[in-house]
Amino acid sequence: MSGSLRSVLSETPSELVPLEANGKILSMAPHRFGYLQPTDAASDIATLRVQFQEHGYLWLKGFLKRQDVLDFRTWVFGHLMDTGLLEPGSDPMIGLAANGEADKSLADRRLMSLVRSVVYEGFCTQPRIASFMDEFVQGISYLHKRKIMRFTRPNTGVVTPAHYDLVYLRGGTSRIVTAWIPIGDVPVDMGGLVYLEGSHRIGAEMEKEFAVKGAALTPEERVSAFNKNMTEGGWVSKDLPDMAERFDTRWLAADYEAGDIMLHSPYMIHASTTNRDPLGRLRLSTDIRYQNVEDEIDARWSNHWTLGDML
């Protein structure tokens, strides 16, 4: 990569624009907003497990080779170029969003094809990740077949409301580890994941309450994120500022870089914010889930991800 292109890709504004989600502006006050603490991926596995249990997440810096991630980003956006998502004639690696309307139906179909591809499967199952996860889950790691890849256009209202992952994985073990991988640099204002500090404990208490409320439901209803006791879509809330106030905690953000991996607890409450990238780039990421193969596996996740699959 040329020095000038790297400069463009890493450029960030000198002053952080307040983050927005679902029309709500997050407070940037120190007691309501902060930054994730990065972890050296070379730390010993016992130390990493302790940190994961204590904080509910691990931000592993430079875990993957940067160029490998950027090459994969180029491959993905190259296959989405004809959908109208990207500026015609632009470098797919930059991911420059087009000004006009995209063919959403074509983009959705193409994305479903990409997550079923050998190239995407290879990216998710590369030896560096596989060997680490074997150590981390203390056995043979199992990667769920249902794997998600998302793009987010700049200045649109499309964000992921606050939730914790176990809501969608109740049909198996609770010993799940989610890996969120930014496919390219994702500075704070590009709308990467934000985490509610200490919320892995909040999510665990919420899940206990849902279990009590759902005692009279059928087994199928109990594991559903859409049962009568849940909020719409299984979300905890779409009002991120209110959540920080209600639980007297902070939202934590980060300037993610290509090569980083986020691991988080199935109880950790997280969300995304509006992509306000000043360069007009698409955010691209994938989220995949691991567990020990000896633990119970949620059979609903044994199929490829499909839009509208109610998970």
Side-chain angles (χ1 to χ4, degrees), residues 7 22 58 91 110 117 122 130 133 152 176 178 186 195 199 225 243 248 293 298 305:
S7 175
N22 291 299
L58 288 175
D91 184 346
R110 189 67 51 76
S117 70
M133 293 310 303
T152 305
I176 299 289
T178 293
V186 181
Y195 291 86
S199 62
M243 286 194 69
D248 191 21
V293 73
D298 190 329
W305 168 54

Short mmCIF file of all heavy atoms in Angstrom, two decimals, residues 7 22 58 91 110 117 122 130 133 152 176 178 186 195 199 225 243 248 293 298 305:
data_model
loop_
_atom_site.label_atom_id
_atom_site.label_comp_id
_atom_site.label_asym_id
_atom_site.label_seq_id
_atom_site.Cartn_x
_atom_site.Cartn_y
_atom_site.Cartn_z
N SER A 7 -2.35 7.05 4.46
CA SER A 7 -2.69 8.30 5.15
C SER A 7 -4.17 8.59 5.03
O SER A 7 -4.83 9.00 5.99
CB SER A 7 -1.88 9.46 4.55
OG SER A 7 -2.26 10.69 5.12
N ASN A 22 -29.94 6.03 16.63
CA ASN A 22 -31.42 6.11 16.62
C ASN A 22 -31.93 7.50 16.99
O ASN A 22 -32.91 7.65 17.73
CB ASN A 22 -32.00 5.06 17.58
CG ASN A 22 -31.79 3.64 17.09
OD1 ASN A 22 -32.27 3.27 16.01
ND2 ASN A 22 -31.05 2.86 17.85
N LEU A 58 -12.39 -8.36 25.30
CA LEU A 58 -10.96 -8.24 25.02
C LEU A 58 -10.83 -7.54 23.67
O LEU A 58 -11.44 -7.98 22.68
CB LEU A 58 -10.29 -9.61 24.92
CG LEU A 58 -10.09 -10.42 26.20
CD1 LEU A 58 -9.51 -11.79 25.84
CD2 LEU A 58 -9.17 -9.70 27.18
N ASP A 91 -11.32 2.82 -5.65
CA ASP A 91 -10.59 1.66 -5.14
C ASP A 91 -11.49 0.93 -4.14
O ASP A 91 -11.88 1.51 -3.12
CB ASP A 91 -9.30 2.13 -4.47
CG ASP A 91 -8.43 0.98 -3.98
OD1 ASP A 91 -8.92 -0.16 -3.91
OD2 ASP A 91 -7.26 1.24 -3.67
N ARG A 110 -26.18 -10.38 -2.99
CA ARG A 110 -24.75 -10.54 -3.13
C ARG A 110 -24.10 -10.81 -1.78
O ARG A 110 -23.20 -11.65 -1.66
CB ARG A 110 -24.16 -9.28 -3.77
CG ARG A 110 -22.69 -9.38 -4.17
CD ARG A 110 -22.47 -10.38 -5.30
NE ARG A 110 -23.33 -10.17 -6.45
CZ ARG A 110 -23.16 -9.19 -7.36
NH1 ARG A 110 -22.14 -8.35 -7.25
NH2 ARG A 110 -23.98 -9.07 -8.38
N SER A 117 -19.37 -18.13 0.77
CA SER A 117 -18.23 -18.40 -0.12
C SER A 117 -17.07 -19.06 0.61
O SER A 117 -16.91 -18.94 1.82
CB SER A 117 -17.76 -17.09 -0.75
OG SER A 117 -17.14 -16.27 0.23
N GLY A 122 -12.76 -19.05 4.66
CA GLY A 122 -11.33 -19.08 4.94
C GLY A 122 -10.88 -17.93 5.81
O GLY A 122 -10.01 -18.10 6.68
N ALA A 130 -8.22 -19.90 14.81
CA ALA A 130 -8.63 -21.24 15.26
C ALA A 130 -7.78 -21.72 16.44
O ALA A 130 -8.31 -22.22 17.44
CB ALA A 130 -8.54 -22.22 14.10
N MET A 133 -8.61 -19.72 19.64
CA MET A 133 -9.89 -20.04 20.24
C MET A 133 -9.88 -21.41 20.91
O MET A 133 -10.54 -21.61 21.93
CB MET A 133 -11.02 -19.96 19.20
CG MET A 133 -11.30 -18.55 18.70
SD MET A 133 -11.53 -17.29 20.01
CE MET A 133 -12.87 -17.99 20.95
N THR A 152 -22.18 -0.69 6.51
CA THR A 152 -23.02 0.43 6.94
C THR A 152 -22.64 1.67 6.15
O THR A 152 -21.48 2.11 6.18
CB THR A 152 -22.84 0.72 8.45
OG1 THR A 152 -23.09 -0.47 9.19
CG2 THR A 152 -23.80 1.80 8.90
N ILE A 176 -20.58 -18.81 25.34
CA ILE A 176 -20.35 -18.36 23.97
C ILE A 176 -19.34 -17.23 24.00
O ILE A 176 -19.32 -16.41 24.91
CB ILE A 176 -21.67 -17.86 23.34
CG1 ILE A 176 -22.72 -18.98 23.28
CG2 ILE A 176 -21.42 -17.27 21.96
CD1 ILE A 176 -22.43 -20.05 22.28
N THR A 178 -18.22 -14.18 21.37
CA THR A 178 -18.41 -13.50 20.09
C THR A 178 -17.11 -12.83 19.68
O THR A 178 -16.45 -12.17 20.49
CB THR A 178 -19.52 -12.44 20.19
OG1 THR A 178 -20.77 -13.08 20.39
CG2 THR A 178 -19.60 -11.62 18.91
N VAL A 186 -11.77 1.29 11.46
CA VAL A 186 -13.08 1.80 11.87
C VAL A 186 -12.86 2.78 13.02
O VAL A 186 -12.94 2.43 14.19
CB VAL A 186 -14.02 0.66 12.31
CG1 VAL A 186 -15.38 1.21 12.72
CG2 VAL A 186 -14.21 -0.36 11.19
N TYR A 195 -19.62 -0.39 23.74
CA TYR A 195 -19.97 -1.33 24.81
C TYR A 195 -20.37 -0.58 26.07
O TYR A 195 -19.72 0.41 26.43
CB TYR A 195 -18.78 -2.24 25.12
CG TYR A 195 -18.45 -3.21 24.02
CD1 TYR A 195 -17.61 -2.85 22.97
CD2 TYR A 195 -18.97 -4.50 24.02
CE1 TYR A 195 -17.29 -3.75 21.96
CE2 TYR A 195 -18.66 -5.40 23.01
CZ TYR A 195 -17.83 -5.01 21.97
OH TYR A 195 -17.52 -5.90 20.98
N SER A 199 -21.42 -4.14 31.66
CA SER A 199 -22.79 -4.63 31.39
C SER A 199 -22.88 -6.14 31.25
O SER A 199 -23.98 -6.69 31.14
CB SER A 199 -23.35 -3.97 30.13
OG SER A 199 -22.57 -4.29 29.00
N ALA A 225 -35.90 -14.92 20.89
CA ALA A 225 -35.67 -13.51 21.22
C ALA A 225 -36.93 -12.68 20.98
O ALA A 225 -36.96 -11.49 21.30
CB ALA A 225 -34.53 -12.96 20.37
N MET A 243 -29.78 4.47 28.66
CA MET A 243 -29.20 3.29 29.29
C MET A 243 -28.01 3.64 30.18
O MET A 243 -27.85 3.11 31.28
CB MET A 243 -28.77 2.28 28.23
CG MET A 243 -29.90 1.55 27.57
SD MET A 243 -29.29 0.14 26.65
CE MET A 243 -28.77 -0.92 27.98
N ASP A 248 -26.14 3.97 35.40
CA ASP A 248 -25.06 4.80 35.96
C ASP A 248 -23.70 4.27 35.51
O ASP A 248 -22.82 3.97 36.32
CB ASP A 248 -25.14 4.82 37.49
CG ASP A 248 -24.20 5.87 38.10
OD1 ASP A 248 -23.82 6.80 37.36
OD2 ASP A 248 -23.85 5.74 39.28
N VAL A 293 -16.72 -27.28 21.66
CA VAL A 293 -17.56 -28.20 20.90
C VAL A 293 -18.27 -29.21 21.81
O VAL A 293 -19.30 -29.80 21.43
CB VAL A 293 -16.71 -28.94 19.83
CG1 VAL A 293 -15.81 -29.98 20.45
CG2 VAL A 293 -17.61 -29.55 18.74
N ASP A 298 -26.59 -24.53 19.93
CA ASP A 298 -27.91 -24.08 19.51
C ASP A 298 -28.11 -24.48 18.04
O ASP A 298 -27.48 -23.93 17.14
CB ASP A 298 -28.00 -22.55 19.66
CG ASP A 298 -29.43 -22.03 19.48
OD1 ASP A 298 -30.20 -22.64 18.71
OD2 ASP A 298 -29.77 -20.99 20.09
N TRP A 305 -26.42 -17.69 7.72
CA TRP A 305 -27.16 -16.47 8.00
C TRP A 305 -27.96 -16.06 6.77
O TRP A 305 -27.46 -16.06 5.65
CB TRP A 305 -26.18 -15.36 8.36
CG TRP A 305 -26.76 -13.97 8.40
CD1 TRP A 305 -27.84 -13.55 9.12
CD2 TRP A 305 -26.26 -12.81 7.74
NE1 TRP A 305 -28.06 -12.20 8.93
CE2 TRP A 305 -27.09 -11.73 8.08
CE3 TRP A 305 -25.18 -12.59 6.87
CZ2 TRP A 305 -26.89 -10.44 7.59
CZ3 TRP A 305 -24.98 -11.31 6.38
CH2 TRP A 305 -25.82 -10.25 6.74
#
